[in-house]
Amino acid sequence: MNGPLTTASPAVGGRYKAKKWINAGGMQHVYLARDQLFDRDVALKTPKDEIGSKRFETSAKISAKVNHANVAKTLDYLVDLDGRAFLVEELVEGNDLQEILDHHLPVLPPTTCARILHQLAKGLSTSHSAKVVHRDLKPSNIMIVGGWQFNEVKITDFGIAKLAEEEIGAWANTHGSTQSKTVLGAIPYMSPESILDFKKGTYPSDIWSIGAIVYRLLSGSPPFGTGLKSIPSIIQADQPPVPNQIERVQFSDLGQDILSILNSCMSKDSAARPTAEQLVTLCDALCYSFDLYEIGTIKVKRRSNFGFITADAGTDLMYHTDSFYGVRDISVGQRVWLARHPGTGNDRAFPIVILK
Amino acid sequence: MINLPDRYSTVLKILDGGGMSDTLLCQDSHLDRPVVIKRLKDGIEKHRLLDELAALSSIRSKYVVQILDVIYANDEIVGLVEEYIDGVELVPLEHPFDRIDALNCLYPIFSGVAEIHIHERLHRDLKPDNMKLDGAGTLKVFDFGLAKLASNAKTRKLYFTEGYAAPEIFQVDASGNHNFTKAVDVFAAGVISLWMIQKGELPNPLYNIPPKLPCVDFAVLGAPLSPAVAQILNRTLSENPADRPSAEEVRATLARELLFDRHRMLLTYAGQAHVLSAKKRSVSLSSGPNSIKMEYDGYDFVVTAVTGTVRINNSMVNVGDKLHGSVVIVLQSPGGYPTSITADQSNPEVIQ
């Protein structure tokens, strides 16, 4: 009854026609589907075999309470004649943040981190005021419209914690070893209180997770490491180290501002963390550009500190080594991600990150 | 009256649907949330519903309500199901207000109209009654019963809301049609701005058919609007539609004012950082006989003095030049060794 949907399957509810299997999160299959009624593409989610449809329904109803531009919109929920449940969600054309980290960008400069943090805070603020806690925020639950172009951030899978509760909850009770992707993916972003009792996660736990996620973006690594070995450090909750990338003068100004917000999000005492609304206000005060990003290749190095980049689309750009965020072991032929700024002779690239 | 499908059969409230439709607040039992159901009133042409359907399903914007489902009877569409915005009616600004209050309330109005226009749609009936603010303060535009494609917006039978209707819609072309353009929506947005600023009151000449223009000068209302904002709002109420700005132009002007004094420029010189912002408005940097002075005027970073040889991104600099984005400033005497300064500007976006 839970066989894969194919393009030959009839439209779900006479309306949603599966076009492509996108991926399987820990809990559910996700398809790209055509909403034939409105002629638009949507995301169609259906639980994997092992999840009770009651749980899936509860999760759908939780996610339907949140309505904000930075949260993927819940459009429909239906059960077909075989009893199989489907959640229809706004389709985010892009990638999840985990995919971007794994395949494209190992680290993100402060301007991009500020943009992401700001939008996460806005989406979370609306969900918290609707009394919805996410409880399982991690890069794979954060969709980025436009992928590496970072056009817009949309939090997804509100209510997924209801589904994950059994798996993560069971693990959290024992803290034993686990092979579960769901558990291992969540641990680096879990607050100390959630590690101790997953079901206890509440509003400040989401704030911690956002802090940990953006720290991961800014520094290239999660604040307390990965896997089971990170657990004692998370529970200890000492302030994570200052990312060495923001010690460079080009990035320190905004980088330090962001880091101090992240540190407050990751206060061990959950009462000391900002609320989502306060986090929005903190982000409102950050000064960051809304850059347009593109991809290019290092074309030539001149002297020790500058050179030129061939853009995949558009004219060549000049770079200065100081404009690289993170690793700046530059060599000709390297693929880079950058923001373009107008210049005479050549436009200038800033910031630049070497692609994976 | 139509029958509601089981899924939506619990009616929570009967809403005022405006002219075209009966509007109900119903509980969607599948997702346990309220939804708005619109049904045609008797005697109203069915294409109103279909026009709204076409507009809402083609526009994807945070400023526009989302359509979720339709209701059929005998294979015909007889109702629309839309998201319910749990929020408040648009209300005029409370006096006194400051320039930021004014900008914050006008910005989403023109952003919303600009997004509708990006999708090549016209709303044609913009007014405060068709707007709402959701719980997060995001403006939502609804009631697209008169909406049309921007490329083909004409009608024989004219519906309009007094006070918000642009003068040209009262004219009829050779084939007996009233023609609409984006400028009609911009006019209405200008009137809504006036309504917001003037405690919900509109001057009498606007109620004339057609309105008598010009009828207002935003610069002399006593409202804290900058000259640039007052001027562009005046243009929205131009008699000639060609004189009106696009919604996007107004949005951009409002954004520039909203970001006044919020920019920063980071200058890095010999490993030292200098930040130019509203807190520190000017900086002079020199190397031997070459120097440059820059000032932040709240909108731009402007070069105010130069001595010797100074280039920015490889071009000679002149007093009055504005710096954009990220640049490299080079101070270098002929034959001398160059001193480079990188200047990176942060141009914040309005995030609402």
Side-chain angles (χ1 to χ4, degrees):
Chain A
M1 111 186 182
N2 280 358
L5 294 175
T6 67
T7 49
S9 308
V12 173
R15 179 170 166 186
Y16 306 104
K17 183 88 178 147
K19 281 165 69 178
K20 201 173 99 189
W21 181 83
I22 302 177
N23 69 47
M27 301 288 147
Q28 55 197 358
H29 290 289
V30 186
Y31 296 88
L32 168 71
R34 188 70 175 172
D35 176 355
Q36 296 173 330
L37 180 58
F38 296 138
D39 242 352
R40 62 188 177 196
D41 289 335
V42 294
L44 186 66
K45 299 185 170 181
T46 187
K48 288 185 173 175
D49 290 351
E50 62 270 24
I51 296 162
S53 61
K54 188 71 207 157
R55 247 166 212 278
F56 190 70
E57 186 181 354
T58 311
S59 139
K61 287 177 175 176
I62 293 171
S63 66
K65 288 179 206 274
V66 188
N67 193 358
H68 188 269
N70 297 121
V71 174
K73 200 180 280 249
T74 304
L75 298 173
D76 203 356
Y77 176 85
L78 56 169
V79 180
D80 70 9
L81 294 175
D82 297 329
R84 184 172 182 175
F86 295 91
L87 173 67
V88 182
E89 214 177 66
E90 163 187 17
L91 181 74
V92 178
E93 289 176 57
N95 302 93
D96 73 53
L97 196 47
Q98 188 65 49
E99 287 169 354
I100 295 174
L101 294 170
D102 288 346
H103 303 299
H104 306 285
L105 292 155
V107 70
L108 293 173
T111 40
T112 322
C113 290
R115 184 192 299 191
I116 293 170
L117 180 63
H118 205 165
Q119 296 187 33
L120 288 174
K122 293 214 150 211
L124 204 58
S125 171
T126 296
S127 68
H128 285 184
S129 56
K131 301 198 166 39
V132 174
V133 186
H134 192 293
R135 294 201 298 155
D136 193 22
L137 284 166
K138 53 191 175 190
S140 60
N141 287 339
I142 294 168
M143 299 297 299
I144 308 292
V145 182
W148 52 260
Q149 296 178 74
F150 295 94
N151 297 334
E152 199 172 24
V153 175
K154 289 189 190 271
I155 307 174
T156 182
D157 288 338
F158 273 94
I160 196 94
K162 204 70 218 159
L163 303 180
E165 207 164 64
E166 212 141 84
E167 202 167 338
I168 299 181
W171 165 81
N173 286 339
T174 61
H175 283 178
S177 69
T178 179
Q179 293 300 313
S180 158
K181 250 180 92 179
T182 308
V183 176
L184 291 173
I187 288 173
Y189 310 101
M190 279 164 81
S191 62
E193 66 274 13
S194 302
I195 293 259
L196 294 171
D197 182 353
F198 183 70
K199 293 187 184 183
K200 269 212 181 120
T202 176
Y203 304 117
S205 316
D206 281 351
I207 298 294
W208 171 289
S209 297
I210 281 192
I213 291 165
V214 178
Y215 182 94
R216 158 74 184 82
L217 304 176
L218 190 67
S219 73
S221 325
F224 304 99
T226 55
L228 296 170
K229 61 187 183 303
S230 63
I231 291 172
S233 314
I234 294 175
I235 293 171
Q236 179 78 19
D238 291 334
Q239 206 169 80
V242 176
N244 58 18
Q245 295 91 339
I246 64 165
E247 283 169 3
R248 290 174 190 155
V249 66
Q250 300 267 340
F251 299 103
S252 66
D253 196 39
L254 181 60
Q256 291 290 349
D257 287 349
I258 294 171
L259 183 63
S260 76
I261 296 176
L262 302 182
N263 282 334
S264 70
C265 292
M266 291 186 281
S267 303
K268 183 172 186 175
D269 173 9
S270 63
R273 298 173 204 155
T275 64
E277 205 183 338
Q278 288 166 340
L279 190 57
V280 172
T281 309
L282 290 169
C283 291
D284 284 341
L286 292 173
C287 177
Y288 62 94
S289 297
F290 224 85
D291 293 330
L292 298 175
Y293 301 114
E294 50 190 287
I295 304 277
T297 308
I298 302 285
K299 182 185 184 184
V300 60
K301 287 169 73 169
R302 291 276 163 77
R303 286 203 238 129
S304 61
N305 61 357
F306 80 102
F308 294 91
I309 295 168
T310 308
D312 283 5
T315 55
D316 287 3
L317 302 107
M318 194 207 84
Y319 74 78
H320 191 283
T321 49
D322 287 346
S323 300
F324 282 74
Y325 189 72
V327 177
R328 49 175 143 180
D329 199 1
I330 303 156
S331 58
V332 171
Q334 251 165 0
R335 298 284 283 160
V336 290
W337 169 95
L338 57 94
R340 177 188 294 267
H341 298 274
T344 311
N346 288 94
D347 289 344
R348 188 170 166 233
F350 176 87
I352 311 166
V353 176
I354 298 172
L355 284 166
K356 275 192 160 176
Chain B
M1 280 294 175
I2 55 166
N3 290 323
L4 293 171
D6 277 354
R7 175 175 182 176
Y8 308 114
S9 61
T10 309
V11 178
L12 301 171
K13 203 174 160 187
I14 295 169
L15 304 170
D16 175 21
M20 307 299 163
S21 50
D22 285 323
T23 307
L24 302 173
L25 188 64
C26 297
Q27 183 76 356
D28 169 13
S29 63
H30 285 199
L31 284 166
D32 266 357
R33 65 178 175 189
V35 291
V36 169
I37 295 194
K38 294 190 142 190
R39 308 182 292 187
L40 270 189
K41 268 186 183 161
D42 290 341
I44 300 285
E45 304 99 308
K46 187 179 163 201
H47 73 79
R48 299 277 170 231
L49 210 55
L50 300 182
D51 284 348
E52 169 142 347
L53 173 68
L56 290 183
S57 58
S58 69
I59 302 172
R60 192 166 162 185
S61 163
K62 69 171 178 173
Y63 296 107
V64 173
V65 291
Q66 179 90 40
I67 186 160
L68 298 169
D69 202 356
V70 300
I71 297 173
Y72 293 94
N74 304 322
D75 282 341
E76 278 204 49
I77 293 173
V78 293
L80 307 182
V81 182
E82 296 172 11
E83 69 177 335
Y84 170 64
I85 304 302
D86 188 11
V88 294
E89 309 290 307
L90 209 60
V91 291
L93 275 164
E94 256 177 62
H95 287 234
F97 55 87
D98 64 21
R99 55 176 281 278
I100 295 293
D101 295 332
L103 293 167
N104 277 330
C105 100
L106 299 180
Y107 182 84
I109 294 170
F110 286 94
S111 301
V113 179
E115 288 208 8
I116 294 167
H117 289 178
I118 285 171
H119 290 88
E120 291 303 321
R121 297 273 164 179
L122 308 183
H123 185 284
R124 296 208 304 144
D125 194 21
L126 292 169
K127 53 185 170 183
D129 291 353
N130 289 340
M131 295 178 169
K132 212 171 172 181
L133 295 170
D134 75 4
T138 304
L139 183 91
K140 300 279 180 178
V141 182
F142 51 90
D143 219 339
F144 282 69
L146 288 177
K148 293 278 186 195
L149 269 175
S151 57
N152 185 26
K154 54 188 178 189
T155 179
R156 279 179 176 277
K157 194 169 176 192
L158 182 64
Y159 288 94
F160 64 94
T161 302
E162 273 183 34
Y164 296 87
E168 67 273 17
I169 67 165
F170 297 99
Q171 292 161 12
V172 178
D173 68 14
S175 346
N177 283 314
H178 301 268
N179 289 280
F180 290 77
T181 63
K182 291 176 182 175
V184 170
D185 283 346
V186 170
F187 185 91
V191 180
I192 297 168
S193 307
L194 189 59
W195 181 90
M196 297 290 306
I197 290 166
Q198 293 282 75
K199 302 183 179 174
E201 282 173 25
L202 299 179
N204 281 330
L206 278 179
Y207 290 105
N208 211 63
I209 295 175
K212 283 184 187 154
L213 300 167
C215 68
V216 70
D217 181 355
F218 281 87
V220 298
L221 296 177
L225 303 172
S226 73
V229 169
Q231 193 187 20
I232 202 159
L233 289 175
N234 282 342
R235 285 176 53 211
T236 64
L237 299 184
S238 303
E239 170 136 44
N240 180 354
D243 292 340
R244 291 176 213 145
S246 68
E248 172 55 27
E249 263 180 278
V250 186
R251 188 206 63 79
T253 300
L254 297 169
R256 182 174 155 87
E257 296 291 329
L258 267 171
L259 298 173
F260 179 78
D261 266 357
R262 293 195 44 207
H263 308 83
R264 265 170 21 157
M265 187 159 77
L266 178 73
L267 295 141
T268 320
Y269 174 25
Q272 289 275 319
H274 304 263
V275 177
L276 216 52
S277 70
K279 282 185 194 152
K280 184 177 186 296
R281 289 197 183 266
S282 77
V283 67
S284 296
L285 300 167
S286 61
S287 168
N290 310 303
S291 75
I292 180 169
K293 185 178 182 195
M294 283 164 287
E295 279 182 30
Y296 176 50
D297 65 9
Y299 299 103
D300 294 297
F301 296 90
V302 187
V303 176
T304 52
V306 182
T307 61
T309 311
V310 182
R311 285 171 296 147
I312 292 186
N313 282 2
N314 225 11
S315 294
M316 294 301 291
V317 175
N318 299 304
V319 168
D321 285 355
K322 291 172 184 171
L323 276 63
H324 296 288
S326 290
V327 298
V328 180
I329 302 167
V330 177
L331 310 176
Q332 184 178 26
S333 301
Y337 193 77
T339 301
S340 324
I341 302 161
T342 59
D344 299 307
Q345 232 185 89
S346 289
N347 296 312
E349 269 292 296
V350 179
I351 302 280
Q352 283 199 323

